[in-house]
Amino acid sequence: MSSPTKRKAAKSDKKGSAAALSPRTIAYLRDWMMSPEHVEHPYPNEQEKAKILADTGITSKQLTCWFSNNRKRFWKPKMEEMGRADVVEAAMGSSLAPHVIDYLKAWMMHPNHISNPYPTEEEKSEIIAATGIEKKQLTCWFSNNRKRFWKPKMDKLRQQYGLNESDPLPAAVLATAATTAAATTTAPPPPPAQDSMIMPAPAPIPETIIGFPLET
């Protein structure tokens, strides 16, 4: 049986792994979480985590623990007060399956959509039928991934062609992407006869067009 002294030391060590953060650090993290760029999906990616760690001086374990706790204790109540319970449900609900994410990313980077990844109502219905996700999940995914996935790809294309961040991608670049994709991909199989509403996944853009793979 462990002595009271040992139990107290073990408890102290456990607390030490999640040491209290300074008020300044907490304010920084809350500002990050509620910023327009992150408020609908307060899950920092690896690059964002690295910046947070550099700015605050906290450890990776402290960062992970704080976000895990405060999505429930701080962010969720704030969003519900703002009448945004749908966003909470979409962000904290069950994650999308990998094949659904692949489908959505392929749709977003397809030649027909790469310049304007905003699905119309008809396209939303087709995507929902093809993936089985709900409309609010679709809306939330596109809102987040236009910032986190599509914009970085477009920025890299601009860099590749020597364009400034504010410069639109030339129509010729997008036209080349569409032409090359059409020439190098075969037509997808037709949807199952028993459910004509299920649409085949959009053909992916070859890596040679955009210069990098569509990572998950």
Side-chain angles (χ1 to χ4, degrees), residues 60-96:
S60 180
K61 187 173 184 178
Q62 287 176 311
L63 183 150
T64 300
C65 183
W66 189 90
F67 271 94
S68 178
N69 290 333
N70 283 275
R71 276 190 289 265
K72 302 170 186 173
R73 298 175 183 174
F74 174 73
W75 176 77
K76 183 174 181 287
K78 288 286 186 184
M79 296 301 285
E80 290 173 346
E81 286 176 10
M82 296 162 58
R84 304 296 303 279
D86 58 326
V87 173
V88 173
E89 185 177 346
M92 299 186 73
S94 58
S95 58
L96 300 182

Side-chain angles (χ1 to χ4, degrees), residues 92-157:
M92 299 186 73
S94 58
S95 58
L96 300 182
H99 74 275
V100 172
I101 295 173
D102 288 342
Y103 181 102
L104 296 174
K105 286 184 174 180
W107 190 99
M108 181 173 275
M109 299 303 290
H110 189 274
N112 291 345
H113 313 129
I114 188 172
S115 64
N116 187 42
Y118 291 80
T120 64
E121 289 303 314
E122 182 178 357
E123 289 168 336
K124 287 178 183 178
S125 297
E126 293 173 353
I127 294 170
I128 289 169
T131 61
I133 63 176
E134 297 180 4
K135 188 172 182 179
K136 60 186 175 184
Q137 289 177 302
L138 182 151
T139 300
C140 185
W141 188 91
F142 271 93
S143 177
N144 290 331
N145 283 277
R146 277 190 290 265
K147 304 169 189 173
R148 293 171 170 264
F149 174 72
W150 176 78
K151 187 178 184 300
K153 302 297 188 189
M154 297 301 99
D155 290 344
K156 193 164 185 178
L157 268 178

